[in-house]
Amino acid sequence: MRVSRLALTDFRNYRSADVAFEPGANLLVGRNGQGKTNIVESLVWIATGSSHRVPTDVALIRAGEQRAIVRCTVTNDERSFQLDVELNAKGANRAQANGNGVRIRDLPRYLQAVLFSPEDLQLVRADPAGRRRFLDELAVMRAPRLAGVHSDLDRVLRQRNSLLKSARASRLREDELTTLEVWDGRLVELGLEVLRTRQALVADLAPHVAEAYRVVAGDEHRAEIALVTNVPADAEAFRALLAQRRRDELDRGVSLVGPHRDDLELQLNGLLARHYASHGESWSFALALRLASAQLLRDGSGGDPVMILDDVFAELDAGRRQRLAEAAGGFEQVLITAAVEDDVPEALRDHRIRIDAGVVVEAGAAARTPVERAGDPDVDPDAEAVVGVDERADAEAVDG
Ligand SMILES: Nc1ncnc2c1ncn2[C@@H]1O[C@H](COP(=O)(O)OP(=O)(O)OP(=O)(O)O)[C@@H](O)[C@H]1O
Ligand SMILES: [Mg+2]
């Protein structure tokens, strides 16, 4: 699949922008802080229903405005979808697919994207929450129905925790006990579903991770992943464990058993990556997790995911750059951001889009330097395919 067009209104530092993407590689270039990541962040939002950088959506709305609009056209196997998202400072966000209202959590059905970003280092280094999110987002891309299961489980845990907290350190009243039993039933049911999904996903992903690590790092180190869980394998054992831990749960006022405490353990040559891997090895592991995800999605029915490489090349040595470029370049579409164009391997530089202070300045062949263009007798018809709306307005003003 690929994104052919993206339009932003009051999203981050964009008042208004409209950009066309080509199949294959698209390189977004511009100095630091100009809005390159903001562009890909808007696509990540559509693919996952949230930003990869901030926990709340308010920061995505242009300062001083009340709502942001993201519109994109996704083409998959000859079929096109127009996706429209409205992010509201007050009130619920809204989404449409081809003009019909859809739930935000259904958006991953239309756009699948795999983001590689500097924040991925935290996947390897930081606490388990990020790794659970990694697994669950990937699971939802493979089976969008699971978004509902995860949000139901979150709700059950919130309700259950607030009940445990209110009854904390005391005995449960009769009615509280009945309510807790209802939540326990839901926790067991949803918890087992999430557990089984994660187990199947990790089993499918593991060989891809091992292979992707070899590709990225260029060595024969053994990268392994495993799910670590405290969830028992069946409903009966789950209920028994809940009964056994009830006193502790009441003392601490939180749910102690469930997939919300799972971790995805990452090992390199048999040692826990979080504790032993070097900086470069951690980076390779993070990239391998993303590349493996992309391979897994490619094997599924949805076609190639859109590959988004945000600022990753600057962090890599020449060998890793080349190998990652080769692996990612094989996908239907790759969006790359870089402050320094030379950091990006040649093969990914064909279609350049220049970003300057929240304006898409130039795209396509026009993004070449005047010297490069001087040697080109034909004007590339794509050169004017897209300009920032601000710039188009200026051009019209001059023409008129
Ligand atoms: N809600 C917002 N309203 C207005 N401006 C914003 C908003 N959110 C972020 N910005 C601005 O967007 C800019 C950052 O954009 P972005 O992260 O896309 O930069 P970048 O081009 O990727 O830079 P780098 O090369 O450093 O990664 C900053 O100047 C920031 O102040
Ligand atoms: Mg950036």
Side-chain angles (χ1 to χ4, degrees), residues 292-315:
S293 308
Q295 292 289 357
L296 193 65
L297 291 171
R298 167 178 253 187
D299 292 349
S301 56
D304 278 10
V306 175
M307 302 288 265
I308 301 178
L309 276 55
D310 184 21
D311 235 353
V312 293
F313 289 107
E315 304 266 345

Side-chain angles (χ1 to χ4, degrees), residues 225-259:
I225 60 171
L227 187 71
V228 179
T229 185
N230 72 5
V231 179
D234 63 57
E236 198 181 330
F238 200 154
R239 282 180 187 283
L241 186 58
L242 284 174
Q244 190 191 321
R245 301 299 305 271
R246 174 159 298 164
R247 192 64 259 166
D248 283 349
E249 291 197 322
L250 281 169
D251 285 346
R252 294 171 55 183
V254 287
S255 297
L256 296 173
V257 187

Side-chain angles (χ1 to χ4, degrees), residues 46 69-72 82-86 94-97 99 107:
I46 291 186
I69 293 172
V70 181
R71 295 203 158 97
C72 73
Q82 171 71 36
L83 305 176
D84 297 339
V85 167
E86 190 182 292
R94 286 210 294 252
Q96 291 189 337
L107 287 173

Side-chain angles (χ1 to χ4, degrees), residues 31-38 40 53 118 310-311 337-338:
R31 287 172 297 117
N32 293 132
Q34 302 302 300
K36 304 180 296 294
T37 300
N38 293 345
V40 294
R53 296 201 283 187
D310 184 21
D311 235 353
T337 77

Side-chain angles (χ1 to χ4, degrees), residues 34-292:
Q34 302 302 300
K36 304 180 296 294
T37 300
N38 293 345
I39 290 212
V40 294
E41 185 181 36
S42 70
L43 292 172
V44 168
W45 200 98
I46 291 186
T48 64
S50 60
S51 160
H52 65 291
R53 296 201 283 187
V54 284
T56 65
D57 297 331
V58 180
L60 307 182
I61 301 170
R62 191 163 193 254
E65 300 298 330
Q66 290 303 306
R67 65 168 194 185
I69 293 172
V70 181
R71 295 203 158 97
C72 73
T73 311
V74 176
T75 306
N76 191 7
D77 214 12
E78 306 299 308
R79 299 210 309 155
S80 278
F81 296 97
Q82 171 71 36
L83 305 176
D84 297 339
V85 167
E86 190 182 292
L87 305 173
N88 291 300
K90 300 191 186 89
N93 298 331
R94 286 210 294 252
Q96 291 189 337
N98 288 343
N100 300 312
V102 292
R103 290 176 303 188
I104 302 291
R105 74 183 196 208
D106 284 331
L107 287 173
R109 291 177 194 271
Y110 302 96
L111 175 60
Q112 285 158 21
V114 174
L115 170 73
F116 297 67
S117 80
E119 283 87 354
D120 288 345
L121 194 56
Q122 298 307 317
L123 264 183
V124 181
R125 291 288 175 86
D127 55 14
R131 290 185 286 279
R132 287 195 296 269
R133 179 176 157 157
F134 161 77
L135 281 180
D136 295 343
E137 280 179 0
L138 183 55
V140 167
M141 280 190 226
R142 291 222 295 177
R145 177 193 75 76
L146 289 168
V149 175
H150 288 291
S151 68
D152 287 353
L153 178 63
D154 288 346
R155 192 172 47 84
V156 166
L157 285 168
R158 270 198 309 275
Q159 306 269 22
R160 195 173 182 277
N161 287 348
S162 86
L163 183 64
L164 289 169
K165 239 175 232 115
S166 73
R168 197 170 180 171
S170 68
R171 224 172 258 290
L172 287 166
R173 293 193 315 264
E174 196 63 36
D175 60 319
E176 288 175 331
L177 185 65
T178 314
T179 313
L180 183 60
E181 276 163 3
V182 173
W183 294 131
D184 283 359
R186 292 291 284 155
L187 175 58
V188 168
E189 184 193 330
L190 295 164
L192 285 173
E193 182 160 13
V194 168
L195 174 72
R196 284 176 191 140
T197 306
R198 286 181 182 164
Q199 284 171 330
L201 178 61
V202 170
D204 291 346
L205 192 62
H208 289 295
V209 171
E211 172 60 20
Y213 188 91
R214 279 193 289 272
V215 168
V216 173
D219 60 36
E220 287 302 312
H221 289 332
R222 221 165 9 95
E224 291 165 308
I225 60 171
L227 187 71
V228 179
T229 185
N230 72 5
V231 179
D234 63 57
E236 198 181 330
F238 200 154
R239 282 180 187 283
L241 186 58
L242 284 174
Q244 190 191 321
R245 301 299 305 271
R246 174 159 298 164
R247 192 64 259 166
D248 283 349
E249 291 197 322
L250 281 169
D251 285 346
R252 294 171 55 183
V254 287
S255 297
L256 296 173
V257 187
H260 59 293
R261 297 170 71 92
D262 284 357
D263 194 4
L264 178 69
E265 206 170 78
L266 311 177
Q267 291 199 352
L268 200 55
N269 295 329
L271 297 173
L272 213 51
R274 189 151 48 100
H275 295 162
Y276 291 92
S278 74
H279 181 80
E281 287 169 339
S282 301
W283 241 116
S284 296
F285 214 129
L287 295 172
L289 289 172
R290 296 300 183 187
L291 193 53

